[in-house]
């Protein structure tokens, strides 16, 4: 049984006792592996480094994924990326057979209301990821969905250094109870999102126990996780392997650079990765420079041979065979 809007059980009546027990056992069975690292209130500090070597599961070799990794590593060598290509496997690589697919995700939606609303006017399909603590985020996310865009939740997580991830961020110092309570607070801020990606999180995503708890809980709610890859040492892939769940990854940051010309370079990098590997996941933000460059690029992408798809389409290989809509102008996004 999938529960998408929080953990809710039927009322405790004698006639429903069996149903209550069944639901409770099903819920426990889904996330018991993810929560095991937190038993005894050990919290997210029970990291991979503290686990015995026998508990470490090596990622099985996958020639197709390794080939995509090799191609991306060659493409980004010397490119103005903040981080190197992730170590390990991305979504299963398939040799391009038809038109290359492009996923554009706009992060940090909601805090800058004015620019977030402008971002919603971009031709689509575009996936918008909203910060749960943004003011009136529910209204803005609903507006995005009503316009036909895909919505994600941009989950704040603990970074390394002094950067502030915002209120209600998941941190490595939390107990298991605190971790899940904070996670629920974030997940309940608005509805209708297809998946979750991390806001910051360069420290927390390196903690395999925390990531197993997060991934197990999201899988229980039928939500996918997309690793923004804010650290080359992310433990998300290993956690997903141990839990047996599928996850997605960012390939390119579009606007860690600030000039319009530099953003165009990043878009060219995204195009090359898509052509060489079949698809690309690119993340940008609702900034004036980004929107000024991205709007025309999205409008012309289909005519230049690219299919724009939502992030969730990568979970369904057959869905990437066709674009969900053709970008031409903002009012044509379905």
């Amino acid at each position: 049984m999938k529960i998408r809007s929080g953990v809710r059980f039927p009322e405790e009546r004698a006639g429903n006792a069996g149903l209550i027990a069944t639901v409770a056992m099903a819920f426990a069975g889904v996330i018991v592996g993810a929560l095991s690292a937190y038993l005894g209130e050990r919290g997210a500090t029970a990291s991979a480094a503290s686990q015995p070597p026998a508990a470490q599961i090596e990622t099985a070799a996958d020639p197709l994924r390794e080939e995509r990794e090799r191609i991306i590593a060659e493409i980004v060598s010397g490119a103005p990326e903040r981080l190197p290509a992730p170590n390990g496997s991305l979504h299963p690589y398939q040799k391009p057979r038809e038109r290359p697919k492009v996923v554009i995700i706009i992060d940090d939606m909601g805090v800058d209301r004015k620019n977030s609303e402008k971002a919603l006017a971009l031709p689509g399909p575009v996936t918008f990821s909203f910060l749960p603590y943004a003011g009136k985020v529910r209204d803005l996310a609903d507006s995005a969905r009503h316009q036909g865009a895909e919505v994600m939740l941009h989950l704040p997580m603990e970074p390394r250094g002094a950067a502030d991830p915002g209120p209600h961020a998941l941190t490595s110092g939390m107990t298991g109870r605190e971790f899940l309570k904070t996670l629920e607070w974030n997940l309940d801020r608005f509805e209708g999102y297809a998946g979750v990606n991390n806001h910051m999180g360069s420290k927390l995503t390196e903690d395999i126990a925390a990531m197993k708890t997060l991934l197990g809980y999201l899988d229980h709610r039928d939500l996918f996780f997309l690793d923004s890859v804010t650290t080359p040492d992310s433990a998300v892939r290993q956690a997903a392997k141990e839990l047996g769940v599928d996850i997605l990854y960012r390939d390119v940051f579009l606007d860690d650079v600030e000039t319009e010309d530099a953003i165009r370079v990043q878009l060219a990098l995204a195009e090359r990765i898509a052509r060489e590997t079949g698809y690309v996941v690119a993340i940008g933000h609702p900034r004036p420079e980004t929107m000024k460059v991205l709007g025309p690029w999205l409008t012309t992408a289909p005519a230049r041979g690219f299919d724009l798809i939502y992030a969730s389409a990568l979970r369904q290989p057959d869905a990437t065979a066709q674009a969900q809509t053709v970008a031409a102008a903002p009012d044509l996004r379905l």
Side-chain angles (χ1 to χ4, degrees):
M1 176 178 180
K2 295 290 185 179
I3 303 176
R4 300 170 186 263
S5 58
V7 183
R8 296 186 176 90
F9 298 103
E11 294 181 2
E12 294 188 7
R13 298 174 181 173
N16 290 334
L19 177 60
I20 295 169
T22 300
V23 173
M25 290 175 65
F27 173 74
V30 171
I31 65 170
V32 65
L35 295 177
S36 60
Y38 286 83
L39 293 178
E41 296 282 316
R42 291 194 298 166
T45 54
S47 63
S50 66
Q51 297 180 23
Q56 305 301 313
I57 300 177
E58 294 296 330
T59 302
D62 187 330
L64 293 179
R65 296 189 180 192
E66 290 174 358
E67 175 67 4
R68 186 173 193 270
E69 288 285 321
R70 183 191 64 77
I71 292 172
I72 293 176
E74 290 183 0
I75 292 173
V76 302
S77 60
E81 267 282 58
R82 180 179 66 184
L83 295 170
N87 297 319
S89 302
L90 294 178
H91 199 75
Y93 168 78
Q94 294 181 351
K95 290 289 186 181
R97 293 173 295 177
E98 299 179 359
R99 290 159 60 94
K101 317 301 179 193
V102 178
V103 174
I104 298 292
I105 299 173
I106 303 298
D107 271 355
D108 293 356
M109 288 287 291
V111 173
D112 185 336
R113 182 85 181 193
K114 180 179 179 181
N115 281 321
S116 293
E117 291 176 343
K118 288 181 178 180
L120 293 182
L122 288 169
V126 174
T127 298
F128 295 100
S129 193
F130 289 85
L131 285 164
Y133 57 75
K136 298 183 179 179
V137 65
R138 187 182 299 269
D139 293 342
L140 197 58
D142 285 346
S143 178
R145 290 192 298 110
H146 292 157
Q147 293 182 42
E150 179 170 76
V151 170
M152 291 179 60
L153 188 146
H154 201 30
L155 185 63
M157 297 186 190
E158 181 181 15
R160 293 197 176 278
D164 182 7
H168 303 282
L170 298 175
T171 68
S172 57
M174 289 178 168
T175 65
R177 182 179 292 112
E178 291 169 339
F179 190 93
L180 291 178
K181 183 178 180 180
T182 303
L183 176 58
E184 278 285 348
W185 185 93
N186 283 284
L187 296 181
D188 289 343
R189 298 305 293 169
F190 60 95
E191 300 171 347
Y193 49 92
V196 173
N197 72 318
N198 52 296
H199 171 59
M200 299 191 183
S202 55
K203 181 175 182 179
L204 191 68
T205 55
E206 293 180 356
D207 186 323
I208 194 169
M211 291 303 97
K212 287 174 70 175
T213 299
L214 173 65
L215 295 181
Y217 198 79
L218 293 180
D219 184 64
H220 164 70
R221 289 182 60 157
D222 198 27
L223 297 167
F224 69 85
F225 183 77
L226 188 146
D227 188 357
S228 300
V229 194
T230 56
T231 170
D233 298 320
S234 171
V236 173
R237 181 179 292 105
Q238 181 68 19
K241 187 71 177 179
E242 294 188 20
L243 289 179
V245 300
D246 191 26
I247 50 175
L248 307 175
Y249 292 88
R250 182 273 308 170
D251 293 313
V252 177
F253 277 122
L254 296 177
D255 53 8
D256 274 359
V257 289
E258 296 181 355
T259 68
E260 292 178 17
D261 285 343
I263 294 169
R264 291 187 182 95
V265 170
Q266 293 300 88
L267 281 169
L269 174 63
E271 287 187 10
R272 184 176 176 190
I273 291 175
R275 287 195 183 101
E276 294 290 337
T277 72
Y279 73 94
V280 67
V281 177
I283 292 180
H285 301 84
R287 301 169 184 166
E289 298 83 3
T290 304
M291 290 183 285
K292 185 175 181 180
V293 175
L294 188 57
W297 185 92
L298 288 166
T299 300
T300 61
R304 291 183 292 105
F306 296 95
D307 285 343
L308 303 173
I309 64 173
Y310 293 126
S312 61
L314 291 180
R315 303 180 74 194
Q316 309 161 7
D318 293 340
T320 63
Q322 297 180 351
Q324 283 123 332
T325 196
V326 175
D331 58 350
L332 293 183
R333 183 175 61 206
L334 302 178

